[in-house]
């Protein structure tokens, strides 16, 4: 890797990845258009350190309209994270924005890299939501059956990557992350909302009975997976990127209580359409082919996220 493009560089995972790349001494172009899924100021805060680095060049541009020809010269590696995430909000009128930001952006990017032999690797951020529900550790060969509109758009984008690999040799790998957490987590996600409210002694919303489970992945492990996928000699592959810890939301809340030394006020609400009951990653393929080995368990990760949120509350 010598010159890198990161799409979605102001977001949760994209900004953490960009930080790692710059710390590794690499040159990075970052694109983001501050979509309105959460406060623009939060995304600007994610960029604060990055934009002070001489090897970082930030472009406030929308992938739906940007001219990739003006950007891709000299770029050899692309990490494509820009998307509209969020499972539960993908119903109704907002679906158009999911199609635009998840499918059309990816198709535009693939069109512009398909003739460029200078691109050595494209790493696409896919999602465990392509699967739908899971009853145990699930490998990549399970037939995807998304149960949310968001999952449908991520699967479409992932399959477009596969098509451009097969037909034009685009050197792409897709990473299906499982519920990523840690500092900078999006404000709509469970851990962020819950830790904030527990610290403020406000009620926390729990959808359903709290017995749904997730394979929680710490953000630095997801970042490492991106680097491994970029350095790997394989292309055209899809990998599950999960964490060390699989637990229920109720168990996660108990951990938050223990670490904050505060009692959570549980507000049980109806289960949400589109939410899988369980997700559980079989990461054998990523371990065997990429050498991926998650290192942060949920206890350590929640501790780091609590420390971050305490600082945010103080500001
Ligand atoms: P995020 O919303 O924090 O980051 C996405 C960034 O992309 C945002 O800053 C947004 O402004 C930008 N963006 C969106 N559309 C754009 C466009 N058209 N042009 C330019 N910029 C645009 O989300 P995140 O949680 O960091 O997710 C990053 C990626 O990982 C997404 O592709 C998401 O689907 C995927 N993913 C996330 C998780 C998770 O648990 N966070 C799990 C699985 C997959
Ligand atoms: C997360 C990301 O938000 C998606 O972008 C991503 O694609 C997906 O992971 C994935 O793995 O592919 P999700 O698992 O819904 O989606 O992540 P959280 O928002 O952290 O929710 C986890 C669980 O907590 C869900 O069952 C949700 O219903 C529940 N939850 C969430 C609550 O009970 N209360 C809340 O306030 C928020």
């Amino acid at each position: 890797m010598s010159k890198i493009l990161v799409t979605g560089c102001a977001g949760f995972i994209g900004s953490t990845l960009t930080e790692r790349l710059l710390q590794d001494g690499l040159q990075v172009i970052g694109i983001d258009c501050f979509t309105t899924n959460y406060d623009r100021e939060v995304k600007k805060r994610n960029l604060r350190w990055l934009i002070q680095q001489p090897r970082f060049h930030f472009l406030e541009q929308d992938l739906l309209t940007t001219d990739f020809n003006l950007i891709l010269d000299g770029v050899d590696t692309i990490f494509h994270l820009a998307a509209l995430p969020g499972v539960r909000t993908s119903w109704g009128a907002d679906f158009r924005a999911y199609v635009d930001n998840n499918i059309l952006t990816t198709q535009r990017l693939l069109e512009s890299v398909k003739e460029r032999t200078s691109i050595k690797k494209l790493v696409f951020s896919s999602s465990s939501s392509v699967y739908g529900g899971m009853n145990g550790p699930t490998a990549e060969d399970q037939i995807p059956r998304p149960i949310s509109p968001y999952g449908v758009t991520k699967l479409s984008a992932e399959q477009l990557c596969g098509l451009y690999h097969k037909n034009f040799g685009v050197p792409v790998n897709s990473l299906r992350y499982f519920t990523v957490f840690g500092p900078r987590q999006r404000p709509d996600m469970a851990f962020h909302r819950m830790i904030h409210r527990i610290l403020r002694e406000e009620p926390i919303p729990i959808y359903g009975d709290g017995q749904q489970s997730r394979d929680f992945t710490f953000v630095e492990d997801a970042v490492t997976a991106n680097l491994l996928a970029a350095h790997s000699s394989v292309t055209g592959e899809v990998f599950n990127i999960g964490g060390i810890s699989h637990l229920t939301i109720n168990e996660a809340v108990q951990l938050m209580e223990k670490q904050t030394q505060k009692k959570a006020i549980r507000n049980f609400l109806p289960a949400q359409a589109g939410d899988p009951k369980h997700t559980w990653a079989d990461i054998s393929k990523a371990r065997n082919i990429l050498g991926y080995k998650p290192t942060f368990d949920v206890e350590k990760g929640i501790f780091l996220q609590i420390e971050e949120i305490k600082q945010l509350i103080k500001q």
Side-chain angles (χ1 to χ4, degrees):
M1 291 194 284
S2 60
K3 192 171 169 194
I4 296 157
L5 174 67
V6 178
T7 75
C9 67
F12 162 40
I13 307 171
S15 63
T16 312
L17 169 65
T18 305
E19 196 169 302
R20 178 88 71 86
L21 293 168
L22 292 169
Q23 281 162 353
D24 288 350
L26 295 158
Q27 199 185 339
V28 183
I29 302 172
I31 297 190
D32 206 293
C33 67
F34 304 110
T35 51
T36 53
N37 59 325
Y38 56 94
D39 190 352
R40 181 187 174 95
E41 290 310 312
V42 174
K43 295 182 183 183
K44 288 206 150 172
R45 189 172 63 216
N46 292 341
L47 284 178
R48 208 177 278 162
W49 180 83
L50 303 178
I51 55 176
Q52 291 168 18
Q53 307 310 307
R55 278 175 283 97
F56 181 61
H57 182 56
F58 177 60
L59 300 170
E60 184 176 343
Q61 289 182 17
D62 189 331
L63 296 184
L64 287 168
T65 50
T66 195
D67 183 348
F68 287 108
N69 286 325
L70 300 177
I71 298 169
L72 288 177
D73 274 344
V75 168
D76 58 18
T77 309
I78 303 173
F79 296 98
H80 177 39
L81 292 97
L84 183 52
V87 177
R88 295 169 288 283
T89 45
S90 61
W91 303 99
D94 284 348
F95 183 62
R96 177 177 288 275
Y98 281 81
V99 172
D100 285 349
N101 292 301
N102 298 356
I103 305 177
L104 294 180
T105 51
T106 304
Q107 188 267 351
R108 282 196 89 232
L109 178 63
L110 289 165
E111 275 295 319
S112 58
V113 301
K114 78 175 200 240
E115 310 290 0
R116 284 186 177 260
T117 50
S118 52
I119 305 293
K120 300 300 176 215
K121 202 60 66 71
L122 167 61
V123 182
F124 171 64
S125 287
S126 185
S127 160
S128 78
S129 60
V130 303
Y131 287 112
M134 302 170 205
N135 291 319
T138 297
E140 293 81 351
D141 58 2
Q142 168 154 318
I143 296 172
R145 288 197 181 86
I147 57 169
S148 65
Y150 163 72
V152 169
T153 62
K154 292 303 285 188
L155 181 59
S156 297
E158 185 193 288
Q159 293 196 335
L160 282 168
C161 291
L163 291 181
Y164 279 77
H165 171 75
K166 256 198 198 110
N167 289 278
F168 306 106
V170 171
V172 58
N173 286 318
S174 294
L175 304 181
R176 293 176 176 168
Y177 312 139
F178 284 65
T179 313
V180 184
F181 74 105
R184 298 194 194 153
Q185 192 188 43
R186 300 194 324 264
D188 58 288
M189 291 185 68
F191 283 14
H192 183 105
R193 294 177 91 184
M194 290 173 176
I195 293 170
H196 242 281
R197 288 169 200 208
I198 292 172
L199 288 171
R200 290 176 180 276
E201 300 177 1
E202 293 168 3
I204 56 164
I206 298 182
Y207 299 128
D209 59 7
Q211 287 303 103
Q212 67 268 47
S213 67
R214 291 288 179 276
D215 196 311
F216 291 103
T217 311
F218 191 68
V219 61
E220 293 293 348
D221 288 327
V223 164
T224 301
N226 272 275
L227 303 184
L228 292 169
H231 284 123
S232 165
S233 57
V234 304
T235 56
E237 295 291 341
V238 171
F239 296 98
N240 283 345
I241 302 300
I244 295 180
S245 314
H246 175 259
L247 65 164
T248 65
I249 288 296
N250 288 332
E251 289 166 336
V253 172
Q254 281 166 10
L255 269 178
M256 292 171 201
E257 287 180 308
K258 186 172 141 203
Q259 294 202 7
T260 56
Q261 299 192 336
K262 284 185 185 284
K263 180 94 189 100
I265 308 162
R266 293 164 173 76
N267 180 21
F268 287 94
L269 297 169
Q272 302 286 296
D275 254 351
K277 182 81 182 171
H278 305 291
T279 72
W280 201 339
D282 176 344
I283 59 166
S284 310
K285 184 176 172 186
R287 189 173 46 233
N288 295 338
I289 297 180
L290 301 179
Y292 172 67
K293 191 171 176 291
T295 52
F296 287 82
D297 65 21
V298 86
E299 205 147 338
K300 189 162 151 199
I302 283 182
F303 171 79
L304 294 169
Q305 195 167 348
I306 290 172
E307 289 307 300
E308 182 221 17
I309 293 176
K310 279 184 182 165
Q311 291 306 316
L312 292 178
I313 289 174
K314 267 195 213 150
Q315 284 169 16

